[in-house]
Amino acid sequence: MKRNFHPLLKGGRRETKYSHVFSSSDMEALTSICEAFVPPVPLESIEHPARNDQKTNQAIESFCKASGAQYPIPDEAAEIVSKRGFLELFLLVRFILRMLSSRIGTLLLCGTLCFVKEWPFINKFSEMSVEKREKVLQFWLKNRFITVIRVGFVFLKFLCIYVFFTVVGEESNNPAWEAMGFRPDSTEGVAKLPEERPLDKGIVETTQEQDFTIVGSLKQKGLEVVEDPSTNSYKIRCDVVIVGSGCGGGVAAAILARSGYKVVVIEKGNYFVRTDYSLLEGPSMNELYEHGGLFSTLDGKITILAGSTVGGGSAVNWSASIRTPEPVLQEWAEEQKLPMFTSNDYHSAMDAVCKRIGVTKNCTKEGFQNQVLRNGCEKLGFQAATVPRNSSEDHYCGSCCYGCKSGDKKGADTTWLVDAVNCGAVIITGCKAEKFILEKNKSLRKRKQKCLGVVAKSINEDITKRFFIEAKATVSACGSLLTPPLMISSGLKNHNIGRNLHLHPVLMAWGYFPEDNSEIQGKMYEGGIITSIHKVGSDEYNVRAAIEAAALGPGSFAAVLPWVSGKDLKNRVLKYSRTAHLFSMIRDIGSGEVTAEGRIKYHLDELDKENIKVGLRRALRILIAAGAVEVGTHRSDGQNFKCKGISELDLEEFIDTVASPEGPKSLVKNWTTYGSAHQMGSCRMGITEQDGAVDENGESWEAERLFVCDASVLPSAVGVNPMITIQSTAYCLAEKIVATLKETKVSS
């Protein structure tokens, strides 16, 4: 039966032709790479789980025959490289493809494997056998000397495999899913909710507008709009303009709008409601995440997930609603000299935030992965705490990372932004901020400049004019990855802008639990994503790592697995539904820098590496204690351990080999890739302009009336899932913005 979702989230046949710039010879090389990463393999070479279902067995047979060369996988991969990859990566991939599309280039990259006995004696990469191509890929993924080329092959590996397992046809299905034991959540049995769009009365979706309709739509929402031919722009006046609609922007919009101010929120992403969500990994990642979820640091060491839709990260996060730990608040108040964080106001804000987003402390039924975590901890004598969530206690959804289809999770798009709209706020979607409007400050305040608003542009090419949004106060709330580039492009110079970026890096461990010998029931993609947590450390002041469960769709699961060979990949993917993933997350001391949009550098401190290693080793012990028959890490050599009949000595010897190696660009043979879903601190708060990019009120040290109200103001990493911290901080800062506006009104 065909399912109905929002057109942008359904996948299937493309509406437009492919626009990548790769030539036919490039595509020939890319197709042969895709086939080598996901080759056809003999059915008898696969140790697939025993299944009695004839349909599933037929699907497994078909999956074994399938390859990454099949249309449209190479073209989809090429499209992503062209549109999502940063410039150096695009040029590197094109260089590799150009080399492999010629005989001399193939000889340089493949060595003697490309030799044949007959003229012309050298095969191009596409002319080599799949087996020989596979050996070339294995060589480059291990090569520790020309790591730049290795990074290119690592990216292609991730991309080819990810596309293979996420591309869907007209029936919104991928042929491999049946073989993997995966079925997208249909949310059957969930209580029927009203089919409504709660932001409709305050939202203007520029992707649905044109030049001749946009002014009328904006005026209809109560905005003062004037066309200015001299600047080819639409001038909009309001009290407060907020860039970004996530945890920070949503809360700020609600507080300011209910205080009587006319608020305009601009959001470059689109607006979706629960009935729009398809829960299909590929289309959902493409529309709901920054860079389509295919985002990393410049060296490829850390892959990054950040929301990019109305509601921001709160619309796609994993529901964990953990209050800021008291030791962290004390550190910020005492060491950073920011008393707000231990004030009654901040604790009251946490109470108000938890109440508004409906945080509950218990979980009626845990999913497979959280059962594994809790079961393993109990058997080892460790504590596994229950994680509060912004949903009901019986919320059993493993797909909230693609939007909450049931409507149970209470993100900013269904709470704070609804409050804001009900108080007269207007949200303009598909609208990207370009720079803040700054002028020399003539007031007696110390700031050299004054912010008058923001310049923005619709992503819809049918709207040719820019938006000049003039406001009494401007709030940047577009997150730790995008607030710094926006401030830099506006001409701000504070040396803290973009620096001190914290990512809560994670490394994952996996464990396979066959269905026929496990006391733990369910599938890895079912149930609440994070409902339990284990902290490694002696007490709350000495937490070295937090261990939680991870949400991985079929594509992400396959793409992040170490690639040893095509046969190994298919063997592991067939065990998808019963492979639990636990991750070790740290409160990082090391930090990074956002130098421009999409350009992130990051350095792990040595203590960070040690802590994440300790957490990773603990995660493996938990998986083994819970009954896994095989466990492993994501180290590039496919590090794994068979658990049946092992001795304690065997286990200790394996655990001792588990480390936290560098990324693919480092000079090591066995590398790994870290992950991050939390970004903080890149415009941190400080008591002086030497200490931070903004003051204790969130106001820029350089520009009066320019405030930052998102995770980038946090003084350092939080150490736990940061949603409550971000919203509570935004709550306090928004109240301060209200006070500033009232003070100015009185003085004027």
Side-chain angles (χ1 to χ4, degrees), residues 26 40 140 177 195 247 269 306 325 336 425 486 565 594 601 604 619 622 684 701 746:
D26 292 336
W140 279 108
W177 292 349
E195 306 296 332
C247 289
Q336 307 295 333
L486 184 56
S565 68
V594 184
K601 300 176 182 178
L604 267 174
I622 290 169
R684 72 180 179 188
W701 284 108
V746 170

Side-chain angles (χ1 to χ4, degrees), residues 128 537 542 629 655 658 697:
M128 295 167 60
N542 296 286
V629 300
I655 293 295
V658 174
N697 298 318

Side-chain angles (χ1 to χ4, degrees), residues 702-724:
E702 299 172 85
E704 182 180 333
R705 299 302 177 83
L706 173 59
F707 299 86
V708 178
C709 209
D710 57 29
S712 67
V713 303
L714 300 181
S716 65
V718 184
V720 296
N721 305 66
M723 177 169 65
I724 299 300

Side-chain angles (χ1 to χ4, degrees), residues 276-519:
D276 292 328
Y277 294 128
S278 66
L279 310 185
L280 299 172
E281 182 181 11
S284 298
M285 294 288 282
N286 188 58
E287 287 297 324
L288 303 177
Y289 286 83
E290 194 65 40
H291 287 248
L294 302 171
F295 195 15
S296 75
T297 53
L298 289 172
D299 61 3
K301 180 192 293 184
I302 302 181
T303 59
I304 295 170
L305 292 177
S308 182
T309 182
V310 171
S314 72
V316 293
N317 69 13
W318 300 355
S319 303
S321 304
I322 304 173
R323 290 177 179 245
T324 320
E326 284 298 323
V328 175
L329 292 176
Q330 290 178 28
E331 177 190 313
W332 291 349
E334 296 168 9
E335 296 182 18
Q336 307 295 333
K337 299 180 175 57
L338 297 167
M340 178 188 85
F341 289 105
T342 51
S343 67
N344 289 332
D345 287 344
Y346 187 84
H347 283 85
S348 296
M350 283 200 288
D351 291 338
V353 164
C354 290
K355 181 178 179 181
R356 181 63 189 96
I357 65 175
V359 174
T360 55
K361 295 183 179 179
N362 298 314
C363 177
T364 305
K365 179 185 177 184
E366 287 193 306
F368 169 66
Q369 297 194 116
N370 285 277
Q371 289 181 59
V372 167
L373 175 54
R374 194 175 296 277
N375 184 288
C377 283
E378 288 175 356
K379 289 183 176 179
L380 292 170
F382 300 144
Q383 181 182 10
T386 298
V387 175
R389 297 179 294 161
N390 58 329
S391 61
S392 66
E393 293 183 354
D394 60 356
H395 184 48
Y396 192 75
C397 171
S399 305
C400 276
C401 50
Y402 310 130
C404 185
K405 186 79 172 173
S406 70
D408 196 337
K409 185 176 74 173
K410 297 175 177 63
D413 52 323
T414 60
T415 54
W416 301 108
L417 292 172
V418 175
D419 296 346
V421 164
N422 288 340
C423 292
V426 177
I427 303 169
I428 306 175
T429 68
C431 188
K432 190 177 189 303
E434 294 183 330
K435 64 178 181 179
F436 297 118
I437 304 170
L438 303 176
E439 69 171 15
K440 188 175 181 179
N441 195 0
K442 299 176 183 178
S443 74
L444 298 177
R445 296 187 69 189
K446 293 182 180 179
R447 269 74 171 172
K448 295 179 181 179
Q449 299 181 82
K450 184 175 183 178
C451 186
L452 305 180
V454 67
V455 179
K457 179 78 171 65
S458 173
I459 61 174
N460 179 7
E461 294 181 357
D462 290 335
I463 299 178
T464 59
K465 297 182 176 65
R466 282 174 166 74
F467 300 95
F468 278 55
I469 307 174
E470 300 174 356
K472 298 171 185 174
T474 301
V475 179
S476 183
C478 43
S480 298
L481 304 182
L482 293 177
T483 281
L486 184 56
M487 297 183 81
I488 292 168
S489 66
S490 304
L492 298 179
K493 305 292 185 182
N494 183 289
H495 74 279
N496 289 292
I497 295 173
R499 296 184 179 178
N500 311 301
L501 174 71
H502 295 278
L503 295 177
H504 281 172
V506 308
L507 283 180
M508 287 190 283
W510 57 266
Y512 174 54
F513 296 77
E515 291 187 83
D516 58 0
N517 70 343
S518 175
E519 61 189 82

